[in-house]
Amino acid sequence: MALKQKLYESYKSTAERFMGVRTNSAFKEKGVLSVTEFVIAGDNLVSKCPTWSWEAGEPSKRKTYLPADKQFLITRNVPCLKRAISVEEEYEAAGGEVLLDNDDNEGWLATHGKPKENNQEEENLPSMDALEISKENKGGIKSIPAYFGGEEDDDIPDMEGFEDSDNLAESDPATLQPSYFVAHEPEDDNILRTRTYDVSITYDKYYQTPRVWLTGYDESRSLLNPELVLEDVSQDHAHKTVTIEDHPHLPGKHASIHPCRHGAVMKKILDVLMSRGVEPEVDKYLFLFLKFMASVIPTIEYDYTMDFDLGSTSN
Amino acid sequence: MANTSPSPSPSSEGRILQFPPFQSLVDDGFWRRLSALKLDTLRTDQSPIFISGFYAPCSHSSVSNYLALHSESLPSDSNMESPLERVRGNRNKCPIPGTLLNTNTLESFRSLDRESLLKAEAKRILEDIYSGRAEEDPSVLLRFLIISFADLKKWGFYYWCAFPALVLDPPATLLNLKPASEALNSDEVVSLSAACNEWRNSSVTTDVPFFLVSISPNSGAILRPLKDWELCKDEGQKVLFGFYDPCHLPTNPGWPLRNFLAFISLRWNVEKINFFCYREKQGTADMRLSLVGEALVSPPSAWRDPECIPKAVGWEPKGGKLMPRFVSLAESMDPERLAVSAA
């Protein structure tokens, strides 16, 4: 693992230990959330999008500043039918890519955005400045060895010996034999198959923003190696903003979209809304946030109902 | 699909009712927790451990849901002695009782008599149907089993899940299967959809995966617990037998219906069963994805014998074969490897 990332993580966790928790609201001024606001926004997300739930997580990892039963949010078994990398190619071919940027060329790409001719309307949308973390992290992910042991048949040559000779399921007429049961089906082409993700949102005390974590599974429900998770991240962000770190509430390492610029981007989104006469309410924060995250993970089909006016239709 | 299946094509009337196998997802946290239990508490004790799995209705039209095992599926250190305490769930995690058999060696894992284990679980399900326990706590109909061997020297885990299903002989015959939006009239669809959302939004019923739908002559639908059967029956209303369906296929109901059909026919002597496969989209009832079907069921007469050991299926296939799974957590758990990668 890159030494710089390690140092940075240990600095951050030490700093978090001594930092107070934000108690006053600054979401309009800085795009950040207090702990109470995170819980309010989370409650609203769970109520409007019931595929999301609060969870308590590992008792040993419990944060005392959050309610015991509301440590983080999670939605499981979210389909990801295409790789982001292949979707981007389609968009480029169709000329339908939108650069959410007004000052430089390193902004966020809205891969699910509008066709190019509408670009002028997007002027007011927020930009995402070049991420500082990118310099520290470049190549960091690659240097981590295949972190998760997958289900690799090569390691267990004796598994075939387990196979039942009296195959009850196959002789049971009421068991559907799906097409993937057919022996000739290749087992190593899971790139093109449906993946599923557990997407979780934690509160990052240091950056005072929500933070998204991704746990991917292949079609046979085996954990995906983080290298493969990167295929489902918009390629502009894959090697810059996604890091592999310990999950604050779950066991093991997971891919996460680094929150170092979340506050600034959320602030810009809120500024745009306010400039259009929409008064942002803090309980809508996570809907905006998840919409923003959809530009990073465009093909992971999690729910974020937009039940309010973004002000984008005003002429 | 058709050329590997012994049944007639799906469009024909009166085909055998078929169910795609239920699927498991055992996460990293489960194995970490089991390793800690094994090292600190269980040691060489191989007694069965009572655990909880979690599932929810299918909520995306493209992927089925599964039975998940997380770290909280295993008992915590404080409740090792009181396994019967019901685990709290939520709408996305309905708790299902299960049994873990963790062996001390790969040889004993290999030599477990899987057929007997499966039959023993099926027998318990049959007993719970007869005793009425399944009426009070319908999750026992989905009782599952997991056998494992945890190789803590190499941080490798061999495991195999089973979702025991009582085998109807002859198999159930499917008379009808349609999206709920087509099988019911438009008033019924609206009313049923609202009733389902109400059931799912109540903390009392949200994680109860089996229920009754009673539809009045004026198309008003309500959901009721299984123990209301006698009342429903006497009111002369149309009754659908509903369950949280993890399956996404428009052509087949999910695995949990198998034991539910056995339950309905044995406990309540219903032969022509109208069932309702409840599915969601974005966390709310979706009547185009949910299915309503009709099946003819006749339970084997042998099941009436209290000593009967019912025929059962349910060992989870892997890649089309009946074989166990293996997962290695060496990279994330082996202290030596962690030290190397951190250096």
Side-chain angles (χ1 to χ4, degrees):
Chain A
M1 189 189 292
L3 183 61
K4 277 182 179 170
Q5 187 187 336
K6 273 224 155 328
L7 288 173
Y8 173 76
E9 278 174 26
S10 101
Y11 157 74
K12 186 169 169 278
S13 70
T14 310
E16 278 182 352
R17 215 172 300 149
F18 294 104
M19 275 169 64
V21 173
R22 172 170 289 280
T23 48
N24 60 323
S25 175
F27 95 99
K28 279 185 225 167
E29 293 74 24
K30 295 183 177 168
V32 298
L33 286 182
S34 71
V35 171
T36 317
E37 288 171 330
F38 176 68
V39 174
I40 292 170
D43 283 344
N44 198 32
L45 178 68
V46 167
S47 120
K48 300 277 165 42
C49 299
T51 49
W52 289 91
S53 307
W54 281 112
E55 287 222 356
E58 296 279 294
S60 60
K61 295 186 168 190
R62 195 159 291 165
K63 313 285 184 218
T64 50
Y65 49 84
L66 284 163
D69 59 342
K70 293 182 179 178
Q71 294 278 305
F72 68 106
L73 295 150
I74 194 162
T75 179
R76 298 183 197 274
N77 199 30
V78 178
C80 180
L81 307 178
K82 288 182 180 178
R83 305 291 73 83
I85 188 166
S86 61
V87 172
E88 277 167 35
E89 283 162 8
E90 285 169 28
Y91 269 91
E92 273 169 36
E97 192 176 80
V98 178
L99 199 57
L100 298 185
D101 187 10
N102 55 5
D103 20 51
D104 55 47
N105 288 326
E106 295 178 83
W108 293 90
L109 284 172
T111 48
H112 60 318
K114 299 175 181 176
K116 262 185 179 157
E117 52 269 29
N118 290 348
N119 252 5
Q120 280 162 326
E121 285 181 19
E122 306 292 334
E123 283 174 351
N124 288 328
L125 282 169
S127 79
M128 180 81 181
D129 295 335
L131 296 159
E132 284 162 42
I133 193 82
S134 69
K135 296 187 186 80
E136 294 174 291
N137 253 4
K138 208 157 268 178
I141 292 161
K142 279 198 170 155
S143 70
I144 300 173
Y147 190 85
F148 296 86
E151 211 169 325
E152 285 166 30
D153 293 347
D154 297 349
D155 294 349
I156 37 165
D158 56 346
M159 284 310 238
E160 292 289 336
F162 281 98
E163 208 175 328
D164 273 6
S165 47
D166 175 25
N167 196 329
L168 258 182
E170 280 171 17
S171 63
D172 171 40
T175 300
L176 181 69
Q177 310 290 332
S179 51
Y180 59 77
F181 281 19
V182 179
H184 67 254
E185 188 79 18
E187 291 203 3
D188 57 353
D189 70 343
N190 56 28
I191 299 294
L192 297 173
R193 294 182 176 193
T194 300
R195 292 176 175 176
T196 56
Y197 277 90
D198 292 350
V199 182
S200 55
I201 305 174
T202 60
Y203 181 75
D204 193 284
K205 191 182 168 194
Y206 184 85
Y207 291 103
Q208 303 170 359
T209 63
R211 175 170 189 170
V212 164
W213 299 80
L214 302 171
T215 311
Y217 296 92
D218 68 17
E219 182 123 305
S220 65
R221 298 172 315 290
S222 300
L223 202 55
L224 279 182
N225 181 299
E227 280 292 329
L228 297 174
V229 172
L230 291 181
E231 295 171 348
D232 294 316
V233 175
S234 160
Q235 291 307 292
D236 267 30
H237 306 296
H239 288 278
K240 289 186 197 167
T241 44
V242 175
T243 57
I244 312 293
E245 293 177 46
D246 287 324
H247 193 287
H249 302 285
L250 293 172
K253 301 231 176 215
H254 300 252
S256 167
I257 297 152
H258 202 275
C260 57
R261 299 288 302 163
H262 285 3
V265 173
M266 288 304 292
K267 159 86 174 131
K268 285 184 180 171
I269 291 173
L270 294 166
D271 284 348
V272 170
L273 287 184
M274 288 191 279
S275 75
R276 291 173 180 180
V278 179
E279 188 58 24
E281 294 162 61
V282 78
D283 67 346
K284 308 278 179 13
Y285 186 101
L286 283 173
F287 299 109
L288 292 170
F289 175 75
L290 286 174
K291 173 117 178 109
F292 152 51
M293 281 298 117
S295 65
V296 187
I297 42 174
T299 55
I300 302 180
E301 301 176 7
Y302 58 82
D303 295 335
Y304 58 103
T305 319
M306 300 292 283
D307 63 339
F308 56 95
D309 183 13
L310 263 175
S312 55
T313 53
S314 62
N315 292 313
Chain B
M1 192 185 297
N3 59 7
T4 61
S5 161
S7 69
S9 71
S11 57
S12 68
E13 288 281 310
R15 64 178 166 122
I16 292 174
L17 181 52
Q18 288 188 312
F19 308 86
F22 207 3
Q23 300 175 323
S24 67
L25 188 150
V26 187
D27 79 7
D28 203 1
F30 181 86
W31 300 120
R32 285 165 183 266
R33 174 75 193 129
L34 178 63
S35 305
L37 262 185
K38 176 94 183 131
L39 292 170
D40 302 337
T41 313
L42 304 172
R43 296 177 188 272
T44 56
D45 185 355
Q46 297 191 85
S47 323
I49 303 170
F50 296 102
I51 62 172
S52 299
F54 301 96
Y55 99 111
C58 173
S59 63
H60 295 275
S61 57
S62 50
V63 290
S64 287
N65 229 318
Y66 44 70
L67 187 109
L69 296 179
H70 307 301
S71 59
E72 67 263 36
S73 295
L74 286 158
S76 64
D77 296 320
S78 56
N79 69 3
M80 279 300 285
E81 304 305 319
S82 55
L84 296 178
E85 202 174 297
R86 189 175 153 87
V87 176
R88 276 192 62 190
N90 63 40
R91 60 179 298 137
N92 298 317
K93 277 171 69 176
C94 309
I96 302 299
T99 305
L100 166 69
L101 276 179
N102 184 53
T103 62
N104 286 327
T105 63
L106 185 56
E107 287 64 39
S108 45
F109 175 80
R110 250 179 203 285
S111 58
L112 284 172
D113 182 350
R114 290 186 305 278
E115 198 179 333
S116 303
L117 288 171
L118 192 70
K119 282 188 166 168
E121 289 300 304
K123 172 85 180 147
R124 294 172 72 186
I125 292 170
L126 197 59
E127 284 167 0
D128 286 340
I129 291 175
Y130 276 124
S131 73
R133 184 171 171 210
E135 232 169 85
E136 295 297 323
D137 178 9
S139 69
V140 297
L141 293 174
L142 292 180
R143 208 182 265 293
F144 68 96
L145 189 67
I146 173 171
I147 57 172
S148 66
F149 164 61
D151 183 351
L152 297 183
K153 291 198 180 81
K154 294 178 182 160
W155 305 101
F157 302 86
Y158 297 78
Y159 69 102
W160 202 340
C161 290
F163 306 103
L166 302 172
V167 174
L168 290 164
D169 191 12
T173 308
L174 183 62
L175 302 176
N176 252 308
L177 187 67
K178 282 180 185 168
S181 56
E182 292 171 27
L184 305 172
N185 72 43
S186 56
D187 289 343
E188 288 170 340
V189 168
V190 172
S191 177
L192 177 55
S193 190
C196 290
N197 287 329
E198 196 184 322
W199 178 271
R200 290 284 283 153
N201 288 334
S202 156
S203 60
V204 180
T205 49
T206 192
D207 61 356
V208 180
F210 297 94
F211 52 88
L212 302 170
V213 179
S214 81
I215 303 178
S216 68
N218 63 2
S219 304
I222 52 167
L223 264 57
R224 307 168 91 156
L226 296 187
K227 59 182 190 308
D228 280 5
W229 166 247
E230 292 298 329
L231 293 169
C232 280
K233 192 181 63 172
D234 296 341
E235 286 163 9
Q237 302 192 330
K238 178 155 88 177
V239 175
L240 304 177
F241 298 93
F243 71 103
Y244 291 177
D245 191 353
C247 174
H248 75 283
L249 298 174
T251 46
N252 297 78
W255 198 257
L257 182 59
R258 296 194 71 155
N259 289 340
F260 195 31
L261 290 180
F263 167 83
I264 296 160
S265 61
L266 270 178
R267 176 90 181 154
W268 297 330
N269 295 308
V270 181
E271 286 194 351
K272 202 174 198 181
I273 295 174
N274 290 295
F275 59 87
F276 170 55
C277 311
Y278 175 72
R279 299 173 184 181
E280 298 185 333
K281 187 179 178 186
Q282 299 191 328
T284 55
D286 190 303
M287 293 297 133
R288 279 170 307 228
L289 301 176
S290 297
L291 306 174
V292 169
E294 189 177 28
L296 275 181
V297 181
S298 50
S301 52
W303 288 2
R304 304 280 174 195
D305 174 5
E307 299 302 310
C308 161
I309 307 287
K311 190 182 167 199
V313 293
W315 287 104
E316 184 181 15
K318 176 186 182 293
K321 294 172 181 169
L322 279 182
M323 58 190 287
R325 292 172 156 247
F326 175 80
V327 59
S328 167
L329 297 185
E331 297 289 353
S332 63
M333 290 186 71
D334 183 346
E336 267 183 45
R337 291 214 211 180
L338 287 178
V340 169
S341 73

